[in-house]
Amino acid sequence: MTTSVTEVHGAVQTLTQSSDTMFLLLGAIMVFLMHAGFAFLEVGTVRHKNQVNALVKILADFGVSAIAYFFIGYWVAYGGTFFADAETLSQGNGYELVKFFFLLTFAAAIPAIVSGGIAERARFYPILAATFLTVALVYPLFEGMIWNGNFGLQAWFEESYGVGFHDFAGSVVVHGVGGWIALIAVLFLGMRNGRVRAGKHTNFAPSNIPFLALGAWILAVGWFGFNVMSAQTLNGISGLVAMNSLMAMVGGILAAMVAGKNDPGFIHNGPLAGLVAICAGSDLMHPIGALVTGLVAGALFVYVFTYLQNKTQIDDVLGVWPLHGLCGAWGGIAAGIFGASSLGGLGGVSLTVQIMGTLLGITVAVAGAFLVYGVLKLAIGLRLSEEDEYRGADLAIHKISSTSAE
C-alpha cells in the first residue's frame, strides 16, 4: 500500500511539473510571437525606405538579447546561471529552462520597444550594442529588485508599508522601463531630417496601415499570454487576469477612437495602451476598474503623442514613450488605486508603494539609458549620416529595399 501511494504521489508530481512546463512554454511562445507584432507595427508606421530595417532590427535585437540575458542578465536578476550539465538543467521536466525562455521574451521586449522610437535614423551595430547592455544590466537590475527581492527593496516596502510593490505582469518592470529607456535614446538621436520645415512640424504619414493593424492584432492576441501566463503555473492561473486584460484593451480602443477622431493609427495603438496599463494590476482589479484604467491609458497615449509630434523636439516615431513609458507608469499607479478593496479590488496593495516603485523604475531606466546611450554616442556615434538617412536605412544598412533588390 505504501509503495502504491508513493507511486501515485510521484506520478501526480510529475504530471504537475510537466503541465506547468507546457503551460509556461505556451506562454513563452505567445510572447515571442508578440515580437512579430512589434515588427509589423513598426513596418507599417515608418516610411517605405525604412521597412526592411524595421524587420531586421527587431529580429537581430532578439538574438542579441538572448545572448545578453543568458550569460549576464538572468544572473543579475535571479542569480541563476546555466553552467551545469544538461542532466542537472533538465530536472523537473526542464521547468527552469522554460522559465528562462519566458522571462527572456519579456527582457527582449525592451529593445523592441526602443526600436519603434528611434526608427529611421539609428545606426545598426551601435544600437545592437545598446541592446546588449540594457538587456544584460539595466533591465535586469530593476527586474531583480521587484520580481526576485534583490537589494531588500521589497522587504523594506513590506516592513514599512505592510505590502510590497505589485507588478504582476510588468506595466512598470517591462513596459515602463522600456518606454523611459526609449525616451532617452530618442533624445540622444535627435529629430529626423525634414520633420521641421519653415519652423513648422511635419508629420510623416504611416506607410502601410494594413501592416500597422496586423502588428497591433498580433500584439493584442499575444498579450493574453503575456498577462495570463505570468502566473507561471497552472495552479496560479486566473480568469480575472484574462477578463481585466480584455476590459482594459476595450477601454483603450474606445478612448483612442474618440480622442484620436477615428485616426486608424490611434485606434490600433489604443488597445496596446490599455494592455500596457493593465499588466501591473490585472490580478487585483475589478473589471470596471480595468476598463477605467484602459480608458485613461488610451486617452493619455493619444493626447501626449499628438503634443510631442506637433509641439516638441522629441521625435518618437511610434510614440513608444507615451505608449509604454507613460501608460506603463499609469498602470503601476492604477494598480494601487483600483486594486484597493474599497474600489472592488482584491486589496493587498498600497498606492504609496505603487507610486514609489514606479518612480524608482523610471529612475533606473533613465539613469541606465543615459549611461548606455551617452557612452555609445561619444565612443562610436548612434546616428546615420545625413546622406544615409535620406536614402533610407534599408539601402544604407541592408543594401536592399522592401520592394526590389535594386
Side-chain angles (χ1 to χ4, degrees), residues 165-168 170-177 179-180 244 247-249 251-253 255 269-282 284-302 304 320-340 343 349-362:
F165 178 71
H166 189 88
D167 192 355
F168 180 70
S171 282
V172 179
V173 174
V174 180
H175 299 285
V177 167
W180 284 88
N244 284 339
M247 295 306 290
M249 179 184 72
I253 294 170
N269 275 281
L272 310 184
L275 286 163
V276 165
I278 198 57
C279 288
S282 57
L284 295 177
M285 294 184 191
H286 187 280
I288 296 176
L291 177 63
V292 175
T293 298
L295 286 167
V296 172
L300 181 66
F301 168 71
V302 171
V304 174
V320 296
W321 176 59
L323 182 66
H324 297 273
L326 292 183
C327 290
W330 159 239
I333 295 168
I337 299 172
F338 298 108
L343 290 177
V349 65
S350 163
L351 178 57
T352 300
V353 172
Q354 292 304 115
I355 293 172
M356 293 172 67
T358 298
L359 291 175
L360 178 61
I362 292 171

